[in-house]
Amino acid sequence: MPDYDYLRRRMVDKHLKRRGIEDPRVLDALGTIPRQDFVPGELAAQAYGDHALPIGADQTISQPWVVARMTEVLDLDAEHSVLEIGTGSGYQTAILSLLARRVYSLERVAELARRAIRRIRALGRINVKIQIFDGTVGWSEVAPFDRIMVTAGAPAVPKPLLDQLAPGGKLLIPEGGREGQRLTLYVKNAKGQVSRQTGDAVTFVPLVGRHGWPDGKNPRNT
Ligand code: SAH
């Protein structure tokens, strides 16, 4: 069996520190969560390369650098309540759970959500709630959120998510076309005014839902 602790330390050094990730809390979190447990068993040996990997249902776990970068830009503190859209493997969820008070995560594919719930439980993370529904409508019952992270590519930010962001809150979302997006940060000030700033180029699977892309298998507009 590969020495996963060694591979994980090497990932933090080679793919994160040397590529500009500086926040020690983020580096610690990626140095702690066993990424090999969040990919299909036959891909475990590749878990610490800096690339995305398939996780089933045509979806992917993001590459470590992107997870680290997004976590750093989101600027979390231990008191924050965080909403994540696109649980996928649950890896980013686990990272967030180490840095925030409470993490709410939404996934539209039931099979992925169930697996993620098992993994998060196995790690003993008790500050996480995962549910299965279209995250583009947000999660009004537990809103507002201090931070929101969307880990699927959207044509534009879903309005319900901006509405569910607390004053002083930050929302990070890959915005753009289906083939490529830019990490886009929305900041809401104490008066409720929102500013927008674009950053790194990224490639995410599409955010599919009421306020995202139409479902390819069931197009709403023909
Ligand atoms: N953060 C994940 C990467 C997820 S890939 C990880 O660390 O593994 C994006 C995920 O978003 C996919 O699992 C996809 O099914 C999900 N997704 C796409 N549209 C969604 C929506 N409207 N609501 C919830 N989840 C969605």
Side-chain angles (χ1 to χ4, degrees):
M1 185 153 97
D3 181 349
Y4 289 118
D5 292 341
Y6 166 75
L7 293 175
R8 188 159 55 248
R9 279 197 301 275
R10 202 179 59 170
M11 170 193 84
V12 169
D13 193 43
K14 187 171 149 200
H15 300 314
L16 307 182
K17 278 191 196 161
R18 276 195 234 164
R19 293 191 51 215
I21 306 297
E22 289 175 357
D23 185 334
R25 299 178 67 225
V26 173
L27 293 168
D28 265 4
L30 274 98
T32 301
I33 298 295
R35 186 169 159 95
Q36 75 274 11
D37 294 349
F38 289 83
V39 302
E42 65 276 15
L43 299 177
Q46 298 175 48
Y48 292 100
D50 196 31
H51 40 64
L53 288 169
I55 54 172
D58 287 334
Q59 306 301 326
T60 54
I61 177 174
S62 306
Q63 71 184 91
W65 185 84
V66 169
V67 172
R69 181 77 185 136
M70 290 184 76
T71 309
E72 193 170 62
V73 171
L74 202 59
D75 180 29
L76 292 156
D77 82 36
E79 290 310 309
H80 284 159
S81 175
V82 181
L83 175 67
E84 178 194 30
I85 311 299
T87 317
S89 67
Y91 178 68
Q92 173 78 73
T93 322
I95 300 287
L96 293 171
S97 81
L98 292 178
L99 301 173
R101 180 170 53 85
R102 201 104 186 74
V103 180
Y104 299 93
S105 186
L106 296 173
E107 171 56 57
R108 67 188 284 272
V109 180
E111 158 201 349
L112 296 178
R114 291 204 188 96
R115 242 179 269 151
I117 290 168
R118 278 202 300 274
R119 289 168 176 145
I120 296 279
R121 237 184 239 148
L123 282 183
R125 305 305 307 158
I126 55 169
N127 59 340
V128 174
K129 269 215 160 56
I130 297 173
Q131 285 209 353
I132 304 164
F133 62 86
D134 174 8
T136 67
V137 302
W139 194 337
S140 55
E141 291 82 358
V142 287
F145 305 97
D146 303 300
R147 296 291 185 265
I148 299 178
M149 182 188 284
V150 182
T151 64
V157 64
K159 181 160 184 302
L161 299 184
L162 279 183
D163 293 341
Q164 293 176 24
L165 190 62
K170 295 184 179 179
L171 180 160
L172 185 63
I173 180 170
E175 262 185 20
R178 277 182 178 266
E179 306 302 324
Q181 309 86 31
R182 280 194 177 271
L183 287 183
T184 306
L185 181 68
Y186 288 85
V187 180
K188 193 184 261 192
N189 70 14
K191 290 186 189 152
Q193 295 156 329
V194 175
S195 63
R196 174 181 187 272
Q197 197 182 312
T198 52
D200 302 285
V202 287
T203 309
F204 274 85
V205 296
L207 181 75
V208 175
R210 190 155 159 212
H211 302 272
W213 295 101
D215 186 344
K217 288 180 202 127
N218 180 21
R220 281 176 297 171
N221 314 304
T222 43

